Amino acid sequence: MNKQLVTTSKFLSLVLRHQPDVIGIELDSEGWADIDRLIKNANARGTAISLDLLHEVVATSDKKRFALSDDGLCIRANQGHSVEGVDLKLEPIEPPELLYHGTVEPFLAGIREKGLLKRSRHHVHLSADKETATKVGQRRGKPIILTISAARMHAAGHTFYLSANGVWLTDAVPTEFIELD
Ligand code: HQG
């Protein structure tokens, strides 16, 4: 992916997950933003973005971070939100037996004590395979992979969701369901 696409993807992540107000737009209750307004406001505030560029970011995003509405007028992030008042209305779904979470050593003490917490985001993010979890952990340093007994958690009453781009989401993972490799 070229530099302009990466920069624009990061900008869209910021606006569509965390701070729509940096360009004075609002997300609706399911996280959708009007594309026309987003482009106008971004350009007015110094971030050059065209409809073609936005479409190219959506199409080439390695993690399929963004989705367009059926009518093509709106865009939203598929996961990762911290902004209040947004609910993607994902359907609860039964998870596979195991899921994985990539993290780094400095967080282990807290995780051992309190389990996995969602912190600023709306959910704890889990990966379907170790390779993906490794990439998630690598964002912060040497990755450590935790194995989550997802089926057991589900049987104990915990709810799971699967984002449109394949990220598993849940509210919290208590310590008894976490295993360190
Ligand atoms: C850690 C990227 C101490 C947790 C990725 C993680 C993902 C604790 C960090 C998505 C803890 C939160 C999300 C506890 C959790 N004590 N540390 N009790 N509980 N943590 O960024 O999962 O590229 O909010 O291990 O691919 O790293 O942005 O979550 O390290 O899908 O599209 O607290 O972000 O996607 O960090 O990453 P984050 P994450 P994008």
Side-chain angles (χ1 to χ4, degrees):
M1 217 197 262
N2 73 34
K3 207 172 152 204
Q4 188 188 31
L5 288 175
V6 173
T7 308
T8 306
S9 177
K10 289 192 170 167
F11 171 75
L12 289 175
S13 286
L14 172 74
V15 167
L16 297 173
R17 290 174 173 175
H18 309 298
Q19 291 185 282
D21 46 301
V22 292
I23 54 164
I25 63 163
E26 284 184 7
L27 309 181
D28 78 5
S29 61
E30 296 187 16
W32 296 103
D34 181 84
I35 292 175
D36 258 1
R37 173 127 321 270
L38 184 155
I39 290 175
K40 279 198 192 102
N41 284 26
N43 286 325
R45 291 171 200 226
T47 299
I49 176 167
S50 64
L51 186 58
D52 281 351
L53 178 57
L54 180 142
H55 281 161
E56 200 180 343
V57 170
V58 174
T60 58
S61 170
D62 52 349
K63 293 190 192 165
K64 298 199 177 4
R65 290 186 176 88
F66 310 104
L68 298 177
S69 56
D70 289 340
D71 61 11
L73 296 177
C74 296
I75 182 171
R76 77 175 179 183
N78 281 325
Q79 35 67 228
H81 298 75
S82 64
V83 65
E84 273 177 38
V86 165
D87 178 354
L88 301 183
K89 298 272 157 58
L90 298 173
E91 291 294 328
I93 174 172
E94 195 177 331
E97 187 179 351
L98 300 177
L99 287 169
Y100 303 92
H101 180 84
T103 189
V104 283
E105 210 276 332
F107 293 156
L108 283 185
I111 293 171
R112 281 205 180 93
E113 190 190 342
K114 297 186 177 148
L116 285 171
L117 304 174
K118 56 190 171 181
R119 306 186 117 191
S120 62
R121 303 204 197 232
H122 290 179
H123 297 99
V124 170
H125 288 220
L126 302 171
S127 308
D129 55 75
K130 286 187 181 180
E131 198 188 337
T132 309
T134 302
K135 286 187 195 147
V136 174
Q138 256 161 5
R139 289 154 53 239
R140 299 200 154 81
K142 187 167 177 271
I144 289 177
I145 309 305
L146 309 177
T147 301
I148 311 302
S149 301
R152 223 161 32 84
M153 256 183 87
H154 186 253
H158 294 267
T159 305
F160 287 79
Y161 307 92
L162 180 59
S163 76
N165 60 338
V167 178
W168 285 89
L169 306 168
T170 193
D171 269 349
V173 181
T175 49
E176 65 262 37
F177 301 109
I178 303 174
E179 194 183 295
L180 224 128
D181 261 9

